[in-house]
Amino acid sequence: MTTSPEPASGQSPGPPAPDVDVLVVGAGITGIYQLYRAREAGFSVQLVEAGDGVGGTWYWNRYPGARFDSESYTYAFLFSRELFDEWEWQEHFAGQPEIERYLNHVVDRFDLRRHMRFGAKVTSATYDEPSGTWRVVTGDGGEVRTRVLVAATGVLSVPYFPDVPGREDFRGESYHTGLWPTTPVDFAGKRVAVIGTGSSGVQLIPVIAGEVASLTVYQRTANWCTPLNNAPIAPDEQAKLRADFDAMCETLNTSPAGFLHGAHDRATYDDPEEERLAFFEQMWNSPGFSKLISHYTDLMVDPAANAEWCEFLAGKVRGIVRDPATAEKLIPKDHRFAEKRPPFVHGYYEAFNLPDVMLVDLKETPILRVTPSGIETAEGIREFDIVVWATGFDFGTGALLRMGIRGRDGLALADDWADGPRTFLGVQTAGFPNLFFPGGPHAAAGNNPRYNGDQVDFVTETIVYVRDHGYDTVEVGREAQERWTSMVDRNASKSNFGEISYYFGTNIPGKPRKYLLNSGGRPKLFAMIAEVLQSDYAAFRMSRSSDRSTDRSTDRSTDLTGTSA
Ligand SMILES: Cc1cc2nc3c(=O)[nH]c(=O)nc-3n(C[C@H](O)[C@H](O)[C@H](O)COP(=O)(O)OP(=O)(O)OC[C@H]3O[C@@H](n4cnc5c(N)ncnc54)[C@H](O)[C@@H]3O)c2cc1C
């Protein structure tokens, strides 16, 4: 990765020189880490971000109740012991304000802000073959020519609004949870509708339920919600976290899903019924994702075991929600536990016991239209002051396909991926040299920063390798890409998540039904990265500008011998 020299006077100008070695798009946790790593590796770096501040998900999703489902200290950056020691998380599962403060602290602590430009949405990124650079145009009128383009644009960063007639006609206040304004919304005494009961809706609903004049919840699909079981971090726990830092990193850096929760050692029917129920109760009272990771080992593979846990959960809902008809509507009937991403809650089911909280089941009475003053279903019209769309995101590929990316020979990424993404390791795609997208489609599932961080580490190692070997472009070969992509597609049916899940793009009309996570998980990613390094990047094609002018690129992609994928 060398910057092209200025032409000597009298010579015809060579290909345009890049302004920077690396341009990162997105100031979420992945982009911040990529900026840090690339700068530490000696590259000149800039970062552009569509929003007006740092945080990505934690900048946009500032709705009341937004908080982690990952334990705060396991989500945090682990690259600096000093950083870990100096930031005291207040809660095991921090709320959005604390997370946003933390990410801003990191940016300032490592002097990263001066490399960042906000309010700069990338509208096009075009690869220029002769110079081996990307020309990136932003909506604020900016243009940057970069050698390497890292799109850390997130998998949950394009909010989705269902196509409901009249949505634009509503004259009250209207919000999407993923585009929440920076000035607080005043819910006091208002008639509020919340559409959607996924992870965001179920966080918001209990927080505003006691404040509003009335709350109507429009539910398309009931979810298996279980308690988050959050708590403040006590002083002795703070001390233990610090004392155990190295052991914690070891666990997080090797755990398949990037969590501290350990696997259980028993299957459901190893225990007699009484012990099973006691264990279910223990799970109900355990924190966050331990309900998946530390549950009976056969929970996700034995339908009878899963059904028994679901029956236990249904009993909990019936025990909490006083109105039996409402309780039945809140109990999923169309999917097993963890077939969709299970939300974690605090006081969600209890909210339906408040006098002015109502549930509308959209399977029985779909929304016909939004009117200027409310929402009409087959039941009639309800009038509202505020409508909140908690209707999710265009997961996985949403942001990348909206960036106007064009690679070799003008190939549009949106066309190339018309039938679904094709990647190698979820970081590169053939035909788009020097473009990387850590934290994008085909990343693993679990605690995001851990596996997105693995990908950033790999991207950084790769561009250092390219630079140190005197090349300036790198592009994965098609063979390696097809093998990785077929592994993802082939194993999709083995995933816990079913096609009902947004992880298959099912929530977006017309989107190809492709699994958008890496179904091999982190272990497959680690195995494949090891193979890439061992084979000296045999799966990649590298070139330098002098070679490109004479077509002598080093194409070693046919040499790939690995079999891990
Ligand atoms: C409400 C909510 C709660 C979540 N909770 C958890 C959790 O507890 N644990 C967990 O592991 N994960 C959680 N997630 C997933 C979360 O998205 C990831 O943890 C993490 O934020 C991903 O970071 P990122 O930097 O890859 O992407 P993001 O945080 O999404 O950041 C991407 C950034 O790229 C910017 N961008 C996109 N396109 C462009 C463009 N064309 N030009 C310029 N900028 C652009 C966006 O504006 C955004 O700021 C949650 C997601 C949501 C929505």
Side-chain angles (χ1 to χ4, degrees):
M1 308 264 149
T2 46
T3 303
S4 307
E6 288 293 315
S9 59
Q11 278 183 342
S12 62
D19 304 309
V20 283
D21 297 325
V22 180
L23 181 72
V24 180
V25 187
I29 192 154
T30 310
I32 295 169
Y33 184 47
Q34 182 64 76
L35 168 57
Y36 171 80
R37 289 284 335 254
R39 195 190 60 180
E40 292 304 290
F43 294 106
S44 61
V45 198
Q46 274 180 33
L47 182 150
V48 288
E49 161 58 52
D52 289 329
V54 164
T57 284
W58 306 108
Y59 170 82
W60 295 107
N61 293 263
R62 51 182 69 244
Y63 58 84
R67 70 173 59 248
F68 277 149
D69 289 334
S70 301
E71 279 78 357
S72 314
Y73 33 89
T74 70
Y75 190 97
F77 291 110
L78 300 177
F79 63 81
S80 158
R81 170 84 204 226
E82 293 72 31
L83 170 65
F84 190 83
D85 282 348
E86 73 199 18
W87 186 269
E88 283 214 344
W89 291 99
Q90 299 303 299
E91 296 176 278
H92 284 280
F93 299 94
Q96 178 275 334
E98 189 181 2
I99 307 166
E100 191 186 20
R101 274 200 308 278
Y102 169 75
L103 292 172
N104 276 283
H105 167 74
V106 174
V107 163
D108 291 329
R109 166 122 180 18
F110 294 97
D111 193 21
L112 299 173
R113 201 175 294 271
R114 66 196 168 90
H115 303 286
M116 296 178 157
R117 206 169 86 235
F118 297 101
K121 181 170 186 164
V122 173
T123 50
S124 74
T126 313
Y127 182 65
D128 176 55
E129 181 94 44
S131 62
T133 59
W134 285 86
R135 180 175 164 262
V136 179
V137 175
T138 48
D140 62 350
E143 184 181 322
V144 183
R145 189 170 285 276
T146 182
R147 178 69 72 195
V148 171
L149 177 61
V150 182
T153 43
V155 281
L156 289 164
S157 53
V158 176
Y160 170 67
F161 290 92
D163 188 17
V164 177
R167 184 170 64 77
E168 304 288 346
D169 300 339
F170 183 64
R171 285 203 301 263
E173 297 167 56
S174 183
Y175 305 101
H176 191 291
T177 48
L179 284 172
W180 206 259
T182 46
T183 44
V185 175
D186 182 10
F187 284 99
K190 305 271 176 62
R191 298 163 304 166
V192 179
V194 174
I195 304 171
T197 54
S199 297
S200 300
V202 301
Q203 284 187 333
L204 169 81
I205 287 162
V207 178
I208 62 169
E211 241 182 275
V212 297
S214 71
L215 176 62
T216 307
V217 175
Y218 289 87
Q219 170 188 276
R220 185 192 57 174
T221 314
N223 275 300
W224 293 112
C225 303
T226 54
L228 179 64
N229 295 317
N230 188 19
I233 304 179
D236 59 323
E237 290 174 316
Q238 295 281 14
K240 189 159 169 23
L241 279 172
R242 271 147 196 74
D244 293 349
F245 177 75
D246 291 334
M248 183 184 84
C249 290
E250 175 64 20
T251 306
L252 291 175
N253 288 334
T254 50
S255 131
F259 284 105
L260 292 178
H261 312 297
H264 193 44
D265 56 359
R266 296 177 72 73
T268 308
Y269 299 107
D270 290 346
D271 286 342
E273 189 178 358
E274 202 179 320
E275 281 171 36
R276 289 206 296 276
L277 288 178
F279 183 71
F280 284 167
E281 196 63 45
Q282 183 190 323
M283 281 289 100
W284 176 262
N285 291 311
S286 69
F289 275 101
S290 61
K291 293 179 206 71
L292 270 84
I293 300 166
S294 311
H295 214 300
Y296 281 127
T297 51
D298 57 348
L299 189 81
M300 309 302 168
V301 285
D302 180 349
N306 197 296
E308 192 168 324
W309 166 243
C310 288
E311 203 34 58
F312 172 87
L313 297 180
K316 286 288 186 193
V317 179
R318 292 187 188 108
I320 298 171
V321 180
R322 280 189 221 114
D323 174 42
T326 303
E328 284 318 304
K329 285 181 189 164
L330 288 166
I331 297 170
K333 305 289 187 307
D334 59 353
H335 67 282
R336 58 187 163 76
F337 179 75
E339 193 169 348
K340 295 179 69 177
R341 195 267 200 209
F344 301 108
V345 290
H346 178 75
Y348 174 61
Y349 293 119
E350 290 81 350
F352 291 93
N353 292 334
L354 293 173
D356 295 309
V357 178
M358 283 143 285
L359 182 68
V360 175
D361 184 344
L362 295 178
K363 292 227 162 85
E364 286 172 11
T365 51
I367 295 179
L368 299 176
R369 66 186 59 80
V370 176
T371 71
S373 59
I375 294 177
E376 182 179 356
T377 68
E379 259 183 354
I381 297 183
R382 288 172 191 258
E383 310 244 299
F384 298 111
D385 304 304
I386 300 179
V387 173
V388 177
W389 298 84
T391 43
F393 301 87
D394 183 350
F395 180 79
T397 49
L400 279 176
L401 297 187
R402 284 169 174 80
M403 255 176 74
I405 296 175
R406 283 187 181 275
R408 194 189 290 293
D409 302 324
L411 177 65
L413 187 67
D415 292 336
D416 199 38
W417 286 7
D419 297 327
R422 290 205 298 279
T423 81
F424 182 59
L425 306 179
V427 294
Q428 254 214 331
T429 188
F432 299 81
N434 286 1
L435 169 69
F436 297 90
F437 39 85
H442 295 180
N447 190 14
N448 270 248
R450 302 285 66 87
Y451 55 78
N452 292 356
D454 301 334
Q455 291 180 315
V456 168
D457 290 341
F458 176 69
V459 170
T460 311
E461 256 176 88
T462 302
I463 59 179
V464 165
Y465 178 100
V466 171
R467 177 189 61 194
D468 292 354
H469 287 75
Y471 297 108
D472 57 22
T473 74
V474 56
E475 175 189 356
V476 70
R478 286 200 186 272
E479 188 189 326
Q481 167 181 292
E482 291 317 315
R483 202 136 48 81
W484 180 263
T485 304
S486 353
M487 182 278 294
V488 169
D489 291 346
R490 204 173 50 242
N491 292 336
S493 59
K494 293 187 201 151
S495 141
N496 295 333
F497 304 113
E499 282 208 26
I500 186 171
S501 155
Y502 67 73
Y503 295 136
F504 281 82
T506 317
N507 61 325
I508 308 295
K511 188 161 173 159
R513 299 290 177 262
K514 289 282 184 181
Y515 193 50
L516 296 163
L517 297 171
N518 154 19
S519 48
R522 238 176 149 201
K524 195 64 99 178
L525 180 71
F526 291 153
M528 205 62 194
I529 289 177
E531 196 177 307
V532 167
L533 300 181
Q534 249 165 26
S535 69
D536 213 19
Y537 284 87
F540 290 81
R541 173 189 164 109
M542 298 186 190
S543 73
R544 42 178 81 87
S545 54
S546 51
D547 294 340
R548 278 192 303 277
S549 56
T550 54
D551 196 21
R552 286 191 293 119
S553 304
T554 308
D555 184 353
R556 299 171 302 166
S557 55
T558 48
D559 296 345
L560 181 75
T561 51
T563 51
S564 329

PDB file of all heavy atoms in Angstrom, residues 101 115 130 236 321 481 564:
ATOM      1  N   ARG A 101     -21.745   7.370  26.026  1.00  0.00           N
ATOM      2  CA  ARG A 101     -20.665   8.082  26.743  1.00  0.00           C
ATOM      3  C   ARG A 101     -19.358   7.310  26.645  1.00  0.00           C
ATOM      4  O   ARG A 101     -18.289   7.868  26.419  1.00  0.00           O
ATOM      5  CB  ARG A 101     -21.035   8.247  28.234  1.00  0.00           C
ATOM      6  CG  ARG A 101     -21.875   9.457  28.548  1.00  0.00           C
ATOM      7  CD  ARG A 101     -21.791   9.838  30.034  1.00  0.00           C
ATOM      8  NE  ARG A 101     -22.066   8.757  30.958  1.00  0.00           N
ATOM      9  CZ  ARG A 101     -23.281   8.349  31.323  1.00  0.00           C
ATOM     10  NH1 ARG A 101     -24.351   8.945  30.825  1.00  0.00           N
ATOM     11  NH2 ARG A 101     -23.443   7.354  32.177  1.00  0.00           N
ATOM     12  N   HIS A 115      -9.765  12.326  13.195  1.00  0.00           N
ATOM     13  CA  HIS A 115      -9.793  11.608  11.911  1.00  0.00           C
ATOM     14  C   HIS A 115     -11.221  11.416  11.398  1.00  0.00           C
ATOM     15  O   HIS A 115     -11.416  10.770  10.367  1.00  0.00           O
ATOM     16  CB  HIS A 115      -9.169  10.216  12.062  1.00  0.00           C
ATOM     17  CG  HIS A 115      -7.768  10.226  12.580  1.00  0.00           C
ATOM     18  ND1 HIS A 115      -6.702  10.615  11.818  1.00  0.00           N
ATOM     19  CD2 HIS A 115      -7.264   9.912  13.800  1.00  0.00           C
ATOM     20  CE1 HIS A 115      -5.593  10.528  12.532  1.00  0.00           C
ATOM     21  NE2 HIS A 115      -5.912  10.104  13.747  1.00  0.00           N
ATOM     22  N   PRO A 130      -6.917   1.427 -12.830  1.00  0.00           N
ATOM     23  CA  PRO A 130      -5.510   1.768 -13.074  1.00  0.00           C
ATOM     24  C   PRO A 130      -4.779   2.210 -11.812  1.00  0.00           C
ATOM     25  O   PRO A 130      -3.632   1.844 -11.593  1.00  0.00           O
ATOM     26  CB  PRO A 130      -5.592   2.925 -14.085  1.00  0.00           C
ATOM     27  CG  PRO A 130      -6.930   2.782 -14.724  1.00  0.00           C
ATOM     28  CD  PRO A 130      -7.830   2.188 -13.688  1.00  0.00           C
ATOM     29  N   ASP A 236     -17.578  -4.888  44.903  1.00  0.00           N
ATOM     30  CA  ASP A 236     -16.746  -6.111  44.908  1.00  0.00           C
ATOM     31  C   ASP A 236     -16.730  -6.766  43.516  1.00  0.00           C
ATOM     32  O   ASP A 236     -15.713  -7.348  43.103  1.00  0.00           O
ATOM     33  CB  ASP A 236     -17.224  -7.104  45.985  1.00  0.00           C
ATOM     34  CG  ASP A 236     -18.666  -7.525  45.778  1.00  0.00           C
ATOM     35  OD1 ASP A 236     -19.478  -6.670  45.368  1.00  0.00           O
ATOM     36  OD2 ASP A 236     -18.990  -8.716  45.982  1.00  0.00           O
ATOM     37  N   VAL A 321     -49.577 -11.894  33.305  1.00  0.00           N
ATOM     38  CA  VAL A 321     -50.573 -11.040  32.628  1.00  0.00           C
ATOM     39  C   VAL A 321     -51.976 -11.417  33.120  1.00  0.00           C
ATOM     40  O   VAL A 321     -52.414 -12.555  32.956  1.00  0.00           O
ATOM     41  CB  VAL A 321     -50.461 -11.201  31.090  1.00  0.00           C
ATOM     42  CG1 VAL A 321     -51.487 -10.327  30.378  1.00  0.00           C
ATOM     43  CG2 VAL A 321     -49.050 -10.866  30.627  1.00  0.00           C
ATOM     44  N   GLN A 481     -14.197 -17.586  -2.090  1.00  0.00           N
ATOM     45  CA  GLN A 481     -15.470 -16.941  -1.770  1.00  0.00           C
ATOM     46  C   GLN A 481     -16.646 -17.903  -1.928  1.00  0.00           C
ATOM     47  O   GLN A 481     -17.527 -17.972  -1.078  1.00  0.00           O
ATOM     48  CB  GLN A 481     -15.657 -15.743  -2.691  1.00  0.00           C
ATOM     49  CG  GLN A 481     -17.070 -15.201  -2.667  1.00  0.00           C
ATOM     50  CD  GLN A 481     -17.211 -14.033  -3.596  1.00  0.00           C
ATOM     51  OE1 GLN A 481     -16.629 -12.983  -3.342  1.00  0.00           O
ATOM     52  NE2 GLN A 481     -17.946 -14.190  -4.663  1.00  0.00           N
ATOM     53  N   SER A 564     -11.242 -26.021   5.106  1.00  0.00           N
ATOM     54  CA  SER A 564     -12.049 -25.762   6.304  1.00  0.00           C
ATOM     55  C   SER A 564     -13.467 -25.349   6.013  1.00  0.00           C
ATOM     56  O   SER A 564     -14.357 -25.665   6.773  1.00  0.00           O
ATOM     57  CB  SER A 564     -11.476 -24.651   7.161  1.00  0.00           C
ATOM     58  OG  SER A 564     -10.152 -24.574   7.085  1.00  0.00           O
TER      59      SER A 564
END
